[in-house]
């Protein structure tokens, strides 16, 4: 059932999925089902052009101490159906200063015909899970299918969902993890215990020398990158570069990018603020949706170094919202409320029903 069909007769009612609802949905359905569903739906949306809709590059404001934080809006338009807009804040000081996640946000869904608000929910967990799912899809295309060693540079919240997603599509046996905060690196094994995979803290040089797949998931500051050295990388390594999301912020050395096959998630956005800002457009391969639609292009790169420049874009959030609403409906979880004013006379805002 499309969002347009579902909204008939229910105009001006909004589905509200609170954090308690999200927790109950995930607990009832299970972490693996949640991640598997996200990977499947996202892969389907990437492969089928009719599902892709219109996703402009995100925009926003610099904010916070010395403009080190941002607040962005990330829209996606599925014509004739719905519009999803995520408002997301990136605040690298949150965990240490406020005991809050680095990334917080909300998802909203609007009816494409009436413009009314269809649904609203947490954006923190869907963002983390869909970002992990995108890396799993890119890695499944570009990394060796028998990849067994995962390297994580950065051991924060996103590292957990990266490891989870990749464990669903690869026979991982070992995870090597590094973080500039030793406590974060040490605690990762406990946070990822549910995966049942051996975890060990390691220096970046060892991760480069041993990992088949590396995910860079850091909050490195503008001008402070890269976080990889690049000297010891395996010839076939696949890198999921997650952290670059500001002009001047990057994690992977330019020399590595220049020697690798690079696929962005959203070309325009990646060239502006992802790893691809270090490159020219002509240096890039096809974007991830194009590779999903023509996987033979990716398979030919598996014995070479490859990089997925994951900046995150609105189509991913639209799909993540679809998954969450779908699971909520299956579990009969969530509330419906009237948020928007509905006057008795549409021409008189003071005529209350």
């Amino acid at each position: 059932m499309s969002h347009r069909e579902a909204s008939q007769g229910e105009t001006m009612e909004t589905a509200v999925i609170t954090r308690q609802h999200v927790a109950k949905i995930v607990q009832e359905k299970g972490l693996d089902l949640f991640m598997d569903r996200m990977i499947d739906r996202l892969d389907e949306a990437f492969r089928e052009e009719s599902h892709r809709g219109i996703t402009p590059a995100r925009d926003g404001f610099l904010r916070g101490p010395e403009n080190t934080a941002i607040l962005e809006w990330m829209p996606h338009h599925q014509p004739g159906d719905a519009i999803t807009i995520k408002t997301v804040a990136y605040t690298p000081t949150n965990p240490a200063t406020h005991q809050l996640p680095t990334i917080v946000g909300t998802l909203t869904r609007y009816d494409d015909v009436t413009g009314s608000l269809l649904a609203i929910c947490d954006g923190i967990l869907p963002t983390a899970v869909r970002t992990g799912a995108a890396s799993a899809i890119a890695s499944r295309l570009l990394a060796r299918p028998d990849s067994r060693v995962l390297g994580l540079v950065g051991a924060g919240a996103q590292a957990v969902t990266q490891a989870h997603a990749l464990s669903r599509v690869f026979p991982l046996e070992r995870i090597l993890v590094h973080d500039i905060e030793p406590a974060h690196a040490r605690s990762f094994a406990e946070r990822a215990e549910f995966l049942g995979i051996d975890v060990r803290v390691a220096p970046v040089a060892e991760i480069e020398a041993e990992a088949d797949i590396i995910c860079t998931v850091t909050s490195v500051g503008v001008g402070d990158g890269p976080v990889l050295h690049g000297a010891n990388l395996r010839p076939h390594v696949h890198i999921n570069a997650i952290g670059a999301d500001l002009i001047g912020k990057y994690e992977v050395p330019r020399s590595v990018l220049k020697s690798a096959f690079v696929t962005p998630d959203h070309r325009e956005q990646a060239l502006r603020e992802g790893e691809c800002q270090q490159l020219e457009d002509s240096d890039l391969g096809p974007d991830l949706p194009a590779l999903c639609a023509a996987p033979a292009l990716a398979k030919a790169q598996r014995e070479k170094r490859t990089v997925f420049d994951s900046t995150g874009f609105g189509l991913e959030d639209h799909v993540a919202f679809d998954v969450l609403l779908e699971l909520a409906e299956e579990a009969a979880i969530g509330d419906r409320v009237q948020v928007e004013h509905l006057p008795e006379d549409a021409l008189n805002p003071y005529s209350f029903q």
Side-chain angles (χ1 to χ4, degrees):
M1 181 181 291
S2 74
H3 300 294
R4 174 93 289 275
E5 292 167 335
S7 67
Q8 293 295 334
E10 299 180 10
T11 305
M12 306 298 280
E13 272 201 341
T14 302
V16 178
I17 311 296
T18 67
R19 68 176 188 172
Q20 291 90 346
H21 292 142
V22 172
K24 190 174 181 182
I25 290 167
V26 175
Q27 287 165 1
E28 288 195 7
K29 294 293 185 176
L31 290 173
D32 289 347
L33 184 145
F34 189 27
M35 181 60 79
D36 291 348
R37 186 86 60 97
M38 195 73 75
I39 293 170
D40 290 345
R41 293 289 188 274
L42 201 55
D43 184 56
E44 180 182 357
F46 286 160
R47 281 187 288 107
E48 298 187 19
E49 191 170 351
S50 62
H51 289 185
R52 294 182 205 164
I54 302 165
T55 309
R58 62 192 172 208
D59 204 350
F61 301 114
L62 290 172
R63 45 168 278 274
E66 300 179 354
N67 283 336
T68 56
I70 52 176
L71 189 141
E72 298 177 313
W73 43 93
M74 301 174 64
H76 175 77
H77 183 198
Q78 206 70 37
D81 184 15
I83 296 165
T84 295
I85 301 175
K86 184 174 76 175
T87 305
V88 60
Y90 166 80
T91 313
T93 57
N94 264 0
T97 305
H98 304 289
Q99 290 74 56
L100 291 171
T102 301
I103 295 173
V104 298
T106 52
L107 288 164
T108 52
R109 170 72 52 87
Y110 299 89
D111 183 87
D112 191 46
V113 175
T114 68
S116 59
L117 179 64
L118 293 175
I120 183 169
C121 83
D122 159 62
I124 299 174
L125 183 62
T127 297
V129 175
R130 64 81 158 149
T131 306
S135 290
I137 292 165
S139 302
R140 187 165 58 186
L141 287 165
L142 292 167
R144 284 182 175 178
D146 62 348
S147 294
R148 285 175 165 77
V149 181
L150 170 64
L152 296 171
V153 180
Q158 184 59 59
V160 176
T161 49
Q162 290 288 311
H164 184 203
L166 290 162
S167 75
R168 303 304 297 164
V169 296
F170 289 96
L172 297 181
E173 295 175 352
R174 191 155 45 105
I175 299 175
L176 302 176
V177 60
H178 174 82
D179 198 291
I180 59 171
E181 293 287 346
H184 293 178
R186 288 194 300 268
S187 71
F188 182 79
E190 182 178 351
R191 287 180 278 132
E193 186 177 9
F194 71 99
L195 298 177
I197 299 172
D198 179 56
V199 174
R200 186 164 58 81
V201 177
V204 172
E206 183 178 343
I207 289 174
E208 291 190 3
E210 297 191 22
D212 302 300
I213 300 171
I214 296 174
C215 298
T216 57
V217 280
T218 73
S219 297
V220 64
V222 171
D224 293 337
V227 299
L228 288 182
H229 308 319
N232 300 312
L233 292 168
R234 303 187 75 179
H236 65 272
V237 69
H238 171 69
I239 299 169
N240 297 303
I242 313 300
D245 52 15
L246 289 170
I247 296 171
K249 178 183 177 184
Y250 54 89
E251 298 176 314
V252 181
R254 184 173 183 271
S255 59
V256 172
L257 297 173
K258 290 288 287 184
S259 68
F261 176 86
V262 179
T263 181
D265 53 1
H266 188 288
R267 201 176 196 91
E268 175 190 353
Q269 192 169 274
L271 283 165
R272 186 182 71 191
E273 59 192 55
E275 297 297 328
C276 293
Q277 66 187 291
Q278 302 182 72
L279 303 174
E280 301 296 328
D281 182 74
S282 58
D283 294 323
L284 309 186
D287 63 23
L288 182 58
L291 286 185
C292 288
L297 296 176
K299 189 175 181 180
Q301 307 297 327
R302 284 181 179 168
E303 296 303 317
K304 306 173 186 176
R305 288 179 183 168
T306 54
V307 176
F308 170 45
D309 188 2
S310 175
T311 59
F313 66 116
L315 171 59
E316 296 172 347
D317 298 312
H318 188 81
V319 172
F321 208 172
D322 279 348
V323 170
L324 203 53
L325 290 170
E326 183 180 289
L327 293 174
E329 184 176 357
E330 290 175 9
I333 293 173
D335 296 325
R336 297 197 68 86
V337 299
Q338 288 194 346
V339 175
E340 297 164 310
H341 176 48
L342 184 61
E344 187 174 23
D345 178 355
L347 301 181
N348 181 5
Y350 294 147
S351 60
F352 299 99
Q353 286 191 354

